[in-house]
């Protein structure tokens, strides 16, 4: 189902429940109002009606007694008047009666009234002119029963009103209960709907975030799941098309770099060789100026060869075809080899290489050529960026704890506690140093301090990126810190190898280059 359909139907259901609730409430309140209106009207009419009936009943009783005592025509007229009023009131009350009980009681009252009227008429006809000494007992009995029955009808009416009030209260209570239940149901539905919506959005969003991160890390083979049936599936399809296009471009770029680098290698080597032969004056003697120019040419050739070498290495690591021959190696001899390679360069720049090695042999697990390449790169950089007449320190040490300055990104990969020691190479210089913002960045491809501005000694920014890939393959770490005395301090951490009894090289304390 589509996300929008889900949201619309979820919230539509919720709105329908709430609308139903509102309609029910309006209907209930209307019904209660209607009941109350009827009740108050009936109450009022009945109250008046009963007052009149009771009063008329009393009048009828009084004028019956007076009429029989005196046979006075005035009294007899008044009796007629109150009898007809009583009858009228009874009819009115009978019309207003709403419950069956009330109707039964009123009917009984009417019957008693009829019986009373019949006897009254009969006795009135026989009434002597001067009246009677006492009201006939049959009439007194009728009057007593009439009063009692009128009271009884009154009680029944009150009872019926009470039950109506109770009904109204009960309807109110039911409405409140229904309101409570429906509110809870609506709340539960809204929570459920929100959870479903959040779930249906958050999972594909997390996948998309993961995919974007993978692409940012250069993993162009990453693909998103397109099996869903919503807008995210379309997004995932577009994302996959984008990544496959990026992958194609990346492959094209890698092929291009590796082919061009390969093709450049051979002519460059032959050019270097030709210059070398000319410098050795094999074809004929050279003037000092010509020699100097050719030397500069040779230097450029060497730099170009190094750059092409780096580009080839990079395309190999990116293609995942760089091979490592991991062996148990002594670290110090590898550092010595690297230093030996850089002695000429250091001498030319009048930079001193000061090495300090441990007395005990220190074994690490590594591919010796690649680690030498890494050390040459960082020592070479230190030499390049150091001022003339300064010194570059190269220390090798066995350490049991991971140094404090190691960035968190490396620390996560190292799994402390598994190794009992590490081999550490520290290369410190007194060059310009590396600002904190660049300390991690310079290990990425084509990244340099003061990007865009050319600083003496800078190449194209590939050396450290290659170093990082090599060190990652060794499950070691490489990072840079500030040198306490100024400049920078590159750290290379390698995992321990197996200790071998006989050290392959004699170990010395320091190796000055000059
Ligand atoms: P390259 O030296 O060829 O530019 P690298 O990857 O070896 O490439 O170095 C990347 C950048 O890091 C350099 O351009 C430089 O800006 C900076 N850098 C490396 N080593 C040092 C150092 N010892 N002192 C100062 N800056 C350095």
């Amino acid at each position: 189902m589509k996300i929008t359909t889900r949201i619309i139907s979820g919230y539509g259901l919720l709105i329908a429940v709430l609308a139903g609730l509102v309609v029910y409430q309006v209907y209930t309140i209307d019904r209660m109002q209607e009941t109350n209106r009827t009740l108050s009207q009936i109450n009022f009419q009945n109250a008046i009606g009963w007052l009149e009936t009771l009063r008329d009943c009393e009048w009828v009783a009084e004028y019956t007694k007076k009429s029989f005592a005196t046979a006075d025509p005035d009294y007899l007229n008044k009796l007629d008047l109150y009898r007809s009023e009583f009858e009228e009131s009874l009819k009115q009350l009978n019309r207003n009666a709403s419950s069956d009980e009330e109707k039964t009681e009123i009917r009984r009252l009417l019957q008693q009234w009829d019986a009373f009227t019949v006897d009254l008429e009969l006795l009135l006809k026989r009434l002597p002119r001067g009246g009677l000494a006492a009201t006939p007992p049959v009439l007194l009995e009728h009057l007593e029963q009439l009063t009692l029955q009128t009271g009884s009808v009154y009680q029944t009416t009150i009872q019926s009103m009470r039950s109506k009030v109770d009904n109204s209260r009960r309807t109110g209570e039911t409405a409140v209960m229904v309101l409570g239940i429906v509110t809870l149901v609506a709340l539960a539905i809204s929570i459920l709907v929100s959870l479903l919506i959040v779930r249906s959005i958050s999972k594909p969003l997390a996948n998309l975030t993961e995919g974007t991160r993978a692409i940012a890390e250069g993993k162009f083979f990453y693909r998103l799941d397109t099996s869903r049936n919503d807008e995210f599936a379309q997004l995932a399809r577009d994302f996959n098309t984008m990544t496959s296009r990026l992958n194609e471009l990346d492959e094209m770029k890698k092929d291009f770099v590796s082919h061009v680098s390969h093709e450049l290698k051979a002519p460059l080597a032959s050019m270097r060789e030709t210059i070398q032969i000319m410098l050795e004056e094999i074809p004929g003697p050279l003037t000092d100026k010509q020699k100097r120019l050719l030397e500069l040419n040779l230097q450029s050739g060497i730099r170009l060869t190094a750059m092409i070498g780096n580009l080839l290495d990079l395309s190999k690591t990116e293609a995942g075809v760089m091979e490592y021959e991991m062996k148990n190696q002594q670290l110090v001899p590898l550092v010595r080899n690297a230093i030996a390679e850089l002695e000429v360069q250091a001498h030319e720049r009048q930079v001193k290489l000061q090495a300090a090695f441990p007395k005990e042999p220190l074994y690490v697990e590594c591919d010796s050529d690649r680690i030498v390449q890494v050390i040459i790169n960082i020592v070479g950089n230190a030499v390049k960026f150091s001022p003339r007449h300064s010194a570059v320190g190269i220390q090798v040490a066995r350490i049991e704890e991971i140094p404090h300055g190691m960035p968190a990104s490396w620390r996560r990969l190292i799994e402390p506690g598994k190794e009992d020691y590490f081999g550490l190479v520290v290369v410190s210089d007194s060059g310009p140093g590396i600002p904190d913002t660049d300390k991690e960045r310079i290990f990425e491809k084509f990244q340099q301090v003061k990007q865009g501005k050319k600083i003496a000694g800078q190449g194209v920014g590939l050396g450290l990126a290659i170093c990082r890939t090599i060190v990652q393959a060794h499950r070691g770490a490489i990072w840079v810190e500030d040198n306490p005395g100024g400049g920078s301090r590159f750290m290379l951490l390698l995992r321990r190898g197996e200790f071998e009894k006989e050290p392959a090289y004699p170990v010395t304390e320091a190796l000055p280059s000059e």
Side-chain angles (χ1 to χ4, degrees):
M1 208 198 284
K2 282 188 168 187
I3 305 279
T4 36
T5 322
R6 256 180 245 182
I7 295 177
I8 290 170
S9 44
Y11 282 104
L13 180 66
L14 201 64
I15 289 166
V17 171
L18 291 176
L21 182 67
V22 169
V23 170
Y24 173 76
Q25 283 308 304
V26 169
Y27 167 73
T28 313
I29 290 166
D30 194 53
R31 244 184 55 192
M32 280 168 68
Q33 276 177 344
E34 184 58 43
T35 314
N36 284 341
R37 240 192 327 271
T38 322
L39 274 178
S40 53
Q41 263 177 17
I42 292 173
N43 266 349
F44 186 66
Q45 284 173 2
N46 280 2
I48 293 174
W50 280 108
L51 276 177
E52 285 171 1
T53 317
L54 279 169
R55 189 202 59 200
D56 291 343
C57 190
E58 276 169 22
W59 287 130
V60 169
E62 193 182 324
Y63 282 96
T64 307
K65 285 175 197 163
K66 282 183 178 170
S67 300
F68 277 91
T70 60
D72 184 334
D74 276 356
Y75 287 149
L76 284 168
N77 284 344
K78 284 253 168 80
L79 179 59
D80 275 350
L81 176 73
Y82 290 122
R83 269 173 60 196
S84 60
E85 273 186 17
F86 183 78
E87 256 178 37
E88 202 46 50
S89 301
L90 268 186
K91 275 180 200 153
Q92 182 65 32
L93 284 170
N94 196 22
R95 276 199 293 278
N96 282 353
S98 52
S99 72
D100 290 345
E101 290 85 3
E102 271 180 277
K103 282 180 183 155
T104 318
E105 290 299 320
I106 292 173
R107 213 176 301 124
R108 199 172 291 152
L109 183 59
L110 282 168
Q111 280 166 3
Q112 286 177 2
W113 176 253
D114 287 345
F116 165 73
T117 319
V118 171
D119 286 346
L120 181 70
E121 291 291 341
L122 215 76
L123 289 167
L124 279 176
K125 275 181 194 150
R126 288 191 225 140
L127 183 64
R129 274 187 171 262
L132 291 172
T135 315
V138 64
L139 289 183
L140 288 177
E141 203 177 307
H142 273 309
L143 284 170
E144 195 185 339
Q145 271 179 4
L146 275 175
T147 316
L148 280 174
Q149 186 56 26
T150 312
S152 165
V153 175
Y154 174 71
Q155 287 302 327
T156 315
T157 309
I158 295 289
Q159 197 55 44
S160 144
M161 279 193 299
R162 257 194 214 127
S163 84
K164 273 184 195 137
V165 171
D166 276 356
N167 266 348
S168 163
R169 186 177 46 79
R170 267 200 297 278
T171 315
E173 281 172 2
T174 316
V176 169
M177 202 176 73
V178 169
L179 178 71
I181 291 171
V182 176
T183 309
L184 282 181
V185 170
L187 204 70
I189 291 178
S190 65
I191 291 172
L192 197 76
V193 166
S194 309
L195 279 179
L196 284 177
I197 289 171
V198 165
R199 224 188 62 168
S200 66
I201 291 176
S202 67
K203 181 107 198 323
L205 261 187
N207 288 346
L208 197 63
T209 314
E210 200 179 306
T212 318
R213 197 170 299 138
I215 297 301
E217 284 166 7
K219 296 174 189 159
F220 299 123
F221 51 83
Y222 196 95
R223 294 289 179 275
L224 287 178
D225 174 22
T226 54
S227 61
R228 290 170 65 105
N229 190 21
D230 55 23
E231 294 88 332
F232 281 109
Q234 186 51 46
L235 192 63
R237 276 192 285 278
D238 292 346
F239 180 92
N240 289 350
T241 315
M242 179 191 79
T243 49
S244 63
R245 185 86 192 96
L246 278 174
N247 202 18
E248 274 169 29
L249 288 173
D250 195 53
E251 289 299 322
M252 271 164 64
K253 183 206 76 187
K254 279 183 204 160
D255 281 358
F256 177 78
V257 170
S258 98
H259 278 115
V260 170
S261 315
H262 216 83
E263 295 304 315
L264 282 176
K265 240 177 148 182
L268 202 64
S270 99
M271 276 163 71
R272 273 176 63 187
E273 241 163 63
T274 312
I275 297 170
Q276 194 64 48
I277 289 169
M278 287 170 80
L279 276 172
E280 282 166 17
E281 298 185 333
I282 294 170
L286 296 170
T287 63
D288 282 350
K289 235 183 193 174
Q290 285 169 333
K291 250 190 188 170
R292 185 71 204 127
L293 286 172
L294 281 176
E295 269 165 9
L296 286 175
N297 232 341
L298 188 62
Q299 286 305 318
S300 303
I302 291 169
R303 274 212 306 281
L304 204 55
T305 312
M307 257 181 223
I308 287 170
N310 274 344
L311 280 173
L312 271 175
D313 278 351
L314 189 75
S315 41
K316 269 193 210 158
T317 51
E318 285 188 339
V321 293
M322 181 89 105
E323 278 172 10
Y324 295 94
E325 212 179 309
M326 299 298 240
K327 276 192 189 146
N328 197 29
Q329 304 276 354
Q330 276 215 57
L331 183 55
V332 171
L334 302 184
V335 178
R336 276 184 205 283
N337 285 353
I339 292 173
E341 290 257 345
L342 289 160
E343 261 173 359
V344 177
Q345 195 183 328
H347 183 74
E348 274 175 8
R349 288 196 53 82
Q350 291 161 320
V351 170
K352 227 179 185 179
L353 297 178
Q354 290 179 332
F357 300 137
K359 288 201 177 81
E360 291 297 315
L362 173 55
Y363 286 88
V364 289
E365 179 83 28
C366 70
D367 176 324
S368 52
D369 287 349
R370 293 292 166 201
I371 288 303
V372 169
Q373 182 183 351
V374 171
I375 301 168
I376 288 178
N377 205 304
I378 52 179
V379 178
N381 276 349
V383 170
K384 273 194 307 190
F385 294 108
S386 285
R388 282 179 189 276
H389 307 296
S390 63
V392 165
I394 304 131
Q395 274 176 295
V396 177
R398 171 196 156 117
I399 54 162
E400 262 125 51
E401 281 190 13
I402 290 172
H404 281 309
M406 181 191 279
S409 48
W410 285 108
R411 202 169 278 274
R412 259 184 268 127
L413 305 173
I414 293 294
E415 297 172 41
K418 289 222 166 164
E419 309 277 327
D420 49 5
Y421 75 85
F422 297 93
L424 182 72
V425 181
V426 182
V427 178
S428 40
D429 63 53
S430 42
I434 293 163
D436 285 348
T437 46
D438 292 331
K439 282 200 170 73
E440 296 212 22
R441 203 174 59 84
I442 52 163
F443 289 95
E444 283 164 24
K445 282 182 285 183
F446 306 111
Q447 297 294 328
Q448 298 174 314
V449 175
K450 294 199 182 141
Q451 197 81 22
K453 284 191 191 164
K454 196 69 198 155
I455 295 179
Q458 274 183 337
V460 285
L462 283 178
L464 289 179
I466 292 166
C467 289
R468 185 176 71 165
T469 320
I470 294 173
V471 175
Q472 272 169 345
H474 281 75
R475 297 186 303 123
I478 182 167
W479 71 99
V480 62
E481 297 176 2
D482 289 330
N483 190 14
S488 49
R489 185 162 82 168
F490 278 78
M491 319 282 273
L492 168 67
L493 184 97
L494 292 168
R495 285 175 188 266
R496 56 159 284 187
E498 287 306 315
F499 180 76
E500 281 169 19
K501 279 251 160 72
E502 286 299 311
Y505 276 79
V507 181
T508 53
E509 281 241 311
L511 181 92
S513 71
E514 283 185 331

